[in-house]
Amino acid sequence: KLSAGLAHELNNPAAAIARAAENLALNLQARPELLQQLLLHCPSPAAFAALISLSTPPPVASALTGLARADAEDELADWLEQQQGVADGYHLAAGLLDAGLARPALETALADWKKVARPAALSWLESQLTARRLVQDVQEAGSRISTLVANVKTYSHMDRGQNFAPLDVVQGLESTL
C-alpha cells in the first residue's frame, strides 16, 4: 500500500516535470526567431527596456474566478488581435494574464513601438514569461519529489542503523501523512 501510494505521489510531479520540460523545449526553439523579429523592429533601447521590465513581473496571485479569468482572457485576446495585429491573440493572452499583465501595462510598454513591431514584441514577452513559469513548475515538482523521498526515508528509517534512538512521533506522523 505504501509503495502504491508513493508511486502515485511521485508520478504526479514527475509528469509535471516532463510536461514543463517539453513545453520549455518548444519555447526555446522559437526563441531565436522571436528575438530576430524583435530586434528588427525595436524602435529604441528605452522601448526595449520597457518591454524587458514587464518580462520579470513580481509574482501575483490570481484573484479571478474561472469565469472572470475567461472573460479577461477573451478581452485581452480581442485587444491583441484587433488593435495590436497579433495573429493568434488567444495564444498570448493566457501567458500574459498568468504573469498578471493586463492591457494598461502592455499599452504603456508598447507606446513607442510601431504597430507592425508589436506582434513580435508581445510574442517575445509572452515567451519570456512562459519560460519563467515553466522553470518554476519544474522547480516546484522537483522539490515535491525530494520532499516525498525524504518523508519515506523518515518513515522507513532507511538511513539509520540498527541502534535505538529517540523519535519525534509528531514529526513522523506528519511526514507519513
Side-chain angles (χ1 to χ4, degrees):
K1 202 171 193 180
L2 174 64
S3 64
L6 180 61
H8 175 74
E9 290 298 322
L10 287 173
N11 193 46
N12 290 336
I17 288 172
R19 268 191 319 274
E22 182 180 336
N23 289 336
L24 189 55
L26 292 172
N27 182 293
L28 291 173
Q29 278 180 334
R31 286 286 174 94
E33 184 180 330
L34 289 174
L35 183 59
Q36 182 180 20
Q37 290 299 314
L38 182 66
L39 294 176
L40 283 174
H41 300 292
C42 186
S44 69
F48 189 60
L51 193 65
I52 287 175
S53 71
L54 291 181
S55 73
T56 55
V60 292
S62 178
L64 298 176
T65 64
L67 185 58
R69 164 130 176 126
D71 289 344
E73 197 170 314
D74 286 344
E75 182 181 320
L76 185 58
D78 288 343
W79 177 78
L80 289 169
E81 290 174 359
Q82 295 169 5
Q83 295 181 23
Q84 304 306 312
V86 174
D88 185 10
Y90 282 97
H91 175 73
L92 299 183
L96 295 171
L97 282 176
D98 285 344
L101 294 178
R103 186 175 162 177
L106 294 170
E107 285 175 336
T108 301
L110 295 172
D112 294 336
W113 292 80
K114 292 180 184 176
K115 188 167 182 173
V116 70
R118 290 179 180 183
L122 289 162
S123 293
W124 177 84
L125 176 60
E126 190 275 338
S127 175
Q128 284 290 109
L129 295 167
T130 297
R132 287 181 185 276
R133 183 185 48 78
L134 290 170
V135 167
Q136 184 180 16
D137 290 350
V138 169
Q139 290 171 329
E140 288 175 6
S143 176
R144 178 72 180 132
I145 288 173
S146 295
T147 299
L148 288 166
V149 169
N151 287 344
V152 168
K153 283 176 69 177
T154 299
Y155 176 79
S156 65
H157 301 283
M158 282 176 35
D159 58 349
R160 297 186 184 154
Q162 299 298 328
N163 301 336
F164 290 103
L167 174 68
D168 184 348
V169 175
V170 174
Q171 181 185 18
L173 290 173
E174 286 178 0
S175 73
T176 301
L177 292 174

